[in-house]
Amino acid sequence: MRKITLRIWTLCWLTLVWVLLWGTFSAANILGGLAVALVITLLLPLPRVPVEGRVRPLSLVRLILYVIVKLVVSSFQVAWLAIRPGPPPATAVLRVHLAVKSDLVLALAAGILTLIPGSVVLEIDQKRRLVYLHVLDVGSEKAVAAFYRQAETLQRLMVAAFERDTDWQPSASKEDG
């Protein structure tokens, strides 16, 4: 039942995106979007992503609020760095270890780290759970420590929202490998 619900949701979402791209809500656009969605889902299926934990709604809300706050604060910080007088800020490539179990949560964490202004993920070492990021404004030890605290907080919130030990059930593919 879950698989069918997910397929229907995917078809509806892709159809909506098609209609929004065309900018006109009409029967032809809806049918065209549905046709494109069917072609995409049937001919170009995504690999199955194992879901190994359980979503904790309250922890997920905390994670979302944290990300929103970081988006707003860091956007102002980056804007200030762009308009302030003086030399450009120091940048560096920093390595962060994310102790998450799931590849899905690792990818989500990397996406959030890139989304927050001032850092861009350059590489993900999936096996060792290392993420290499280009970070803006790391001219002092205090700034570097603040970045690592941010990454640690994000990791803690991600684990609380998706990977608590009590809910964790490794997928069959990980048990085999």
Side-chain angles (χ1 to χ4, degrees):
M1 182 64 180
R2 182 173 185 240
K3 189 175 180 180
I4 293 170
T5 304
L6 184 60
R7 283 190 182 247
I8 291 171
W9 167 251
T10 303
L11 288 173
C12 291
W13 177 252
L14 289 172
T15 303
L16 176 65
V17 169
W18 180 266
V19 171
L20 291 174
L21 285 172
W22 280 98
T24 306
F25 189 76
S26 68
N29 276 344
I30 293 171
L31 290 175
L34 187 58
V36 169
L38 283 168
V39 167
I40 288 171
T41 56
L42 294 175
L43 297 181
L44 306 168
L46 291 172
R48 183 163 156 39
V49 177
V51 178
E52 300 156 321
R54 189 175 128 200
V55 176
R56 298 288 187 142
L58 187 58
S59 297
L60 181 60
V61 169
R62 282 190 206 115
L63 172 65
I64 291 169
L65 290 174
Y66 174 78
V67 171
I68 289 170
V69 168
K70 290 311 268 178
L71 283 171
V72 170
V73 170
S74 62
S75 292
F76 281 107
Q77 289 170 340
V78 170
W80 171 245
L81 290 172
I83 63 171
R84 74 181 172 124
T91 62
V93 174
L94 300 178
R95 179 181 62 204
V96 175
H97 180 263
L98 295 175
V100 295
K101 301 171 190 170
S102 165
D103 291 342
L104 181 62
V105 175
L106 178 64
L108 183 59
I112 290 172
L113 285 168
T114 291
L115 219 128
I116 296 173
S119 62
V120 176
V121 172
L122 300 174
E123 182 180 345
I124 301 172
D125 184 339
Q126 183 182 4
K127 289 198 184 298
R128 296 187 298 163
R129 298 296 195 229
L130 295 174
V131 179
Y132 295 88
L133 299 108
H134 182 268
V135 182
L136 186 65
D137 194 24
V138 289
S140 68
E141 291 292 324
K142 183 179 175 185
V144 173
F147 172 77
Y148 282 118
R149 273 194 312 278
Q150 172 184 309
E152 178 60 34
T153 301
L154 178 64
Q155 173 184 286
R156 189 175 30 80
L157 290 169
M158 298 287 289
V159 168
F162 304 112
E163 293 190 338
R164 291 188 185 174
D165 287 335
T166 56
D167 301 327
W168 186 255
Q169 296 175 350
S171 66
S173 62
K174 285 197 177 182
E175 290 174 349
D176 295 338

